[in-house]
Amino acid sequence: MSISKVCIDTLLNLRKTPHKPRHFTYITTYRCNSRCRMCGIWKGSEPQAFKRELKLEDIKKIFNNPFFSDISFISLGGGEPFLREDIDEIVEVITKSCPELNSITIPTNGLTPRTSMKVQRILEKIESGINLSIGVSIDGIGETHNYGRGKEDAFERGIKLIGELKELEHTYGNLKVGFGSMILPWNVDSLPDLVKLSSEMNLPKPQFWMPLILDSFFKNEEQEPELKFSDEQFRKAMGFLKGYDYRKDFYAFYAENMSRIRSGKTRIIPCFWGYHFLFIDPYGDVYPCSYACKEEYLLGNLLTDDPSDIWFSQKAENIRKTIGKSRACSLCQVNCKFFENITINILPYARYKLYNSRHQLRGKA
């Protein structure tokens, strides 16, 4: 994205107004075959809830709508997205309905059999100009990862999947394979090892993020005690992020935001969830964001309502204002769309950079 485009977007978005979405996250299922210590989705959904998941015909009907004509990026999440046997058909339907689409991201825990075969089926059904990014979760080396994911062979299976996907990269130039890592109290000392692993496997440098206690989505309030960082653990985590040489300044900005929130101050990362990005759950319910997956923030359902009517309704505007004024929003640690949010309104990041530059100059004087 060009600097001029970022500046224009910033000027247009000084006052938040809803736009046809550029990006959306569609949670294809809440089913999950992992047993993560930092997430309770696997134990939080009803046993028969999968029967209410959107069927392929529902998805065709929903996305065959001009409301989605400006979409350039989609994330298909979970649960574990590859538990959907029709994941390739879902991607095919969505790509045909979004003419501006250029990027698809699908995260995976790496535990589902035949995942690489499903990825290949997806690649055979999408145009070569659409990038498909598969991010495998790897939070540590060996037992460190297995402990967090609650599976004794999680690391082995994740690494095996990455190897299979790397083979597909030789055939499909639009496939991008990498791994992402959650920073956790039990892995703060081994974060550099993950960077080394990515280099040894000839992968892009991993993306990192902090855990989030969010019962409305992750169903993990009961797991909060185990996810609390000591002051020393938090200091190590933030020190790592501030020195991380992948998107270095952006990660330092993210670390600054996390430090502010931990000290009781409000977030400085701008947020355009509910204005440029929307969140769709497995049953077609639309929410402003993952934080707001609560009945009082439900905007509507795509099975019964037109997406434009949902998005631009007075009800939606009232909910946006309610969330925006809430204390929970100002302290929100969700880093989804972090980089995209900065490109929509770059001013907070620019102020951060300017302050740091002045501080460094004074230090040299």
Side-chain angles (χ1 to χ4, degrees):
M1 181 176 288
S2 68
I3 295 295
S4 59
K5 178 70 167 61
V6 171
C7 292
I8 291 170
D9 281 352
T10 294
L11 290 173
L12 291 174
N13 291 297
L14 290 177
R15 180 178 182 273
K16 284 186 176 181
T17 54
H19 296 253
K20 282 175 65 177
R22 300 175 178 184
H23 309 166
F24 69 79
T25 292
Y26 167 34
I27 304 300
T28 58
T29 182
Y30 282 136
R31 288 175 285 152
C32 192
N33 49 358
S34 186
R35 295 296 180 263
C36 298
R37 294 179 180 275
M38 54 283 194
C39 176
I41 282 180
W42 56 271
K43 59 183 177 182
S45 57
E46 307 161 25
Q48 300 300 312
F50 75 94
K51 293 183 178 180
R52 297 193 292 113
E53 292 172 0
L54 294 176
K55 307 296 188 293
L56 193 62
E57 286 305 312
D58 298 325
I59 295 168
K60 287 179 181 178
K61 179 181 177 182
I62 287 168
F63 287 101
N64 186 25
N65 189 300
F67 176 76
F68 297 101
S69 62
D70 292 347
I71 294 292
S72 62
F73 171 86
I74 63 173
S75 175
L76 300 179
E80 171 51 44
F82 288 101
L83 287 176
R84 290 280 308 233
E85 290 298 327
D86 58 353
I87 187 69
D88 58 312
E89 295 175 286
I90 291 173
V91 173
E92 182 181 28
V93 166
I94 293 175
T95 55
K96 287 182 177 179
S97 303
C98 301
E100 298 299 318
L101 184 65
N102 56 52
S103 184
I104 304 167
T105 293
I106 309 179
T108 176
N109 58 31
L111 300 176
T112 306
R114 305 185 310 281
T115 291
S116 59
M117 292 174 57
K118 293 175 184 178
V119 170
Q120 185 170 6
R121 292 208 308 261
I122 292 173
L123 290 162
E124 289 170 351
K125 291 179 178 180
I126 64 175
E127 295 179 10
S128 59
I130 298 176
N131 289 323
L132 175 65
S133 297
I134 305 295
V136 182
S137 296
I138 301 289
D139 302 324
I141 308 300
E143 288 306 312
T144 301
H145 180 66
N146 295 343
Y147 173 81
R149 296 287 164 170
K151 294 284 184 175
E152 62 181 17
D153 58 350
F155 180 76
E156 178 185 348
R157 290 163 72 178
I159 295 300
K160 180 176 181 290
L161 175 60
I162 290 173
E164 294 171 353
L165 296 176
K166 287 291 289 180
E167 286 298 313
L168 288 178
E169 275 189 328
H170 298 312
T171 305
Y172 300 94
N174 56 332
L175 174 61
K176 312 298 178 187
V177 180
F179 68 81
S181 306
M182 186 170 289
I183 299 175
L184 298 154
W186 55 85
N187 74 355
V188 290
D189 291 319
S190 58
L191 300 177
D193 296 334
L194 291 167
V195 180
K196 181 181 178 183
L197 175 65
S198 68
S199 177
E200 291 172 347
M201 297 188 72
N202 195 27
L203 295 167
K205 289 188 176 180
Q207 296 192 39
F208 290 93
W209 56 92
M210 297 290 285
L212 183 70
I213 306 300
L214 190 64
D215 216 49
S216 60
F217 180 68
F218 293 115
K219 315 295 183 189
N220 62 351
E221 212 168 62
E222 293 181 358
Q223 291 143 292
E224 182 174 8
E226 192 171 7
L227 297 177
K228 283 189 175 180
F229 287 76
S230 69
D231 289 343
E232 178 63 13
Q233 289 169 337
F234 188 80
R235 184 191 64 77
K236 286 182 179 180
M238 295 304 102
F240 170 80
L241 288 176
K242 288 178 180 179
Y244 189 36
D245 62 357
Y246 170 70
R247 290 179 168 176
K248 181 175 180 180
D249 290 327
F250 287 103
Y251 269 107
F253 184 48
Y254 171 57
E256 177 69 16
N257 190 75
M258 296 297 101
S259 298
R260 284 177 60 91
I261 292 174
R262 185 175 174 89
S263 67
K265 298 177 183 178
T266 57
R267 62 180 280 151
I268 51 176
I269 296 175
C271 182
F272 288 90
W273 275 102
Y275 293 90
H276 291 270
F277 318 130
L278 81 156
F279 180 95
I280 305 168
D281 81 357
Y283 320 118
D285 286 335
V286 178
Y287 298 92
C289 65
S290 55
Y291 150 73
C293 291
K294 303 175 183 178
E295 185 64 33
E296 61 263 39
Y297 299 139
L298 175 62
L299 303 182
N301 184 278
L302 293 170
L303 289 174
T304 56
D305 305 306
D306 183 86
S308 291
D309 292 342
I310 293 172
W311 195 245
F312 295 108
S313 67
Q314 187 59 52
K315 176 185 178 181
E317 184 59 24
N318 292 341
I319 288 174
R320 289 185 189 101
K321 289 178 179 178
T322 299
I323 294 174
K325 292 176 182 178
S326 69
R327 179 70 173 165
C329 186
S330 66
L331 296 176
C332 178
Q333 298 182 55
V334 174
N335 65 333
C336 295
K337 302 292 184 292
F338 170 52
F339 300 109
E340 292 88 344
N341 273 313
I342 291 175
T343 63
I344 292 175
N345 184 349
I346 202 171
L347 285 179
Y349 173 68
R351 284 195 294 266
Y352 167 79
K353 285 282 290 179
L354 181 61
Y355 172 81
N356 273 6
S357 296
R358 287 176 175 174
H359 187 71
Q360 289 170 5
L361 286 172
R362 289 195 191 105
K364 294 176 180 179

